[in-house]
């Protein structure tokens, strides 16, 4: 008899298993030029439809004006912790190709590039926390983002600090058990909703 696949038996790569989105960053940590370049290269080498590379990034280092301008567009809940990150990286997707035709799905491609930056952060011993909680119009104005380019996310990158440094409400979220929907409710085979099972013919 085949059984629905369960998550207990296997472990994923440590870079993926160890990745999470903290709020407590070390406000004294700075990112070196080589580390920064490594992160940007990781994003740049992401796959995209037809190698169209619809992404652009605005990169602020804590203390510089780009960081301040990105920070200013964050929602207050994110501002309450993100100011201790070493980097704030705004991901922006172009709607049109250079020949004026629409990109296939620029959000999909740009999110892949962000994912690569996030995993590369983990490989460098850093942490990354993506945010959709920002004002896209304010970000576009603050950073002179032209029409036809859509801000998708801001990612905070930095070195992890103790959860004890956070105010109570954020500390509770920081230390909460992380959860995911079970495999059987996520991966199907046969008909929609039928869980993938052990064994080839399951
Ligand atoms: C597109 C996107 C938008 C997000 N927006 C926010 C946000 O505005 N504020 C925040 O604290 N976390 C945000 N997150 C982080 C998620 O809450 C987090 O990834 C999720 O809870 C899973 O936790 P984990 O990353 O620690 O596994 C966002 C993540 C993604 C991918």
């Amino acid at each position: 008899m085949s059984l629905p696949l369960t998550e207990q038996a296997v472990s994923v790569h440590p870079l993926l298993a160890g990745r999470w989105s903290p709020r407590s960053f070390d406000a004294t940590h700075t990112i070196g030029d080589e580390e920064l370049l490594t992160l940007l290269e990781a994003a740049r080498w992401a796959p995209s439809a037809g190698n169209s590379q619809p992404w652009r990034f605005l990169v602020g280092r804590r203390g510089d004006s780009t960081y301040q301008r990105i920070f200013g567009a964050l929602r207050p809940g994110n501002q309450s912790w993100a100011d201790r990150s070493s980097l704030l990286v705004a991901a922006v997707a172009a709607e049109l190709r250079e020949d004026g035709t629409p990109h296939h799905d620029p959000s999909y491609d740009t999110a892949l590039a962000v994912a690569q930056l996030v995993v590369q952060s983990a490989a460098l011993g850093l942490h990354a926390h993506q945010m959709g909680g920002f004002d896209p119009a304010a970000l576009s104005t603050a950073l002179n983002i032209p029409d036809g380019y859509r801000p998708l996310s801001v990612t905070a990158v930095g070195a992890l600090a103790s959860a004890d440094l956070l105010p109570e409400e954020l500390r509770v979220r920081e230390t909460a058990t992380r959860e995911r929907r079970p495999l059987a409710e996520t991966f199907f085979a046969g008909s929609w909703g039928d869980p993938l099972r052990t064994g080839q013919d399951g």
Side-chain angles (χ1 to χ4, degrees), residues 112-181:
L112 283 174
V114 174
Q116 295 211 171
L117 182 145
V118 166
V119 175
Q120 184 65 53
S121 300
L124 293 171
L126 301 170
H127 282 75
H129 191 145
Q130 296 168 74
M131 289 168 270
F134 68 95
D135 180 339
L139 188 76
S140 293
T141 301
L143 291 149
N144 303 316
I145 298 171
D147 289 345
Y149 288 84
R150 192 157 67 89
L152 289 184
S153 68
V154 173
T155 302
V157 181
L160 187 65
S162 168
D164 293 341
L165 298 172
L166 293 170
E168 170 68 11
E169 188 202 332
L170 292 180
R171 187 166 62 244
V172 168
R173 289 165 68 189
E174 190 84 338
T175 53
T177 306
R178 293 171 59 243
E179 291 179 349
R180 290 296 188 268
R181 186 189 313 114

Side-chain angles (χ1 to χ4, degrees), residues 23 71 74-82 131 133 169-170 173:
R23 294 164 190 81
F71 181 80
L74 296 179
R75 300 280 179 216
N78 289 325
Q79 286 186 336
S80 71
W81 56 265
M131 289 168 270
E169 188 202 332
L170 292 180
R173 289 165 68 189

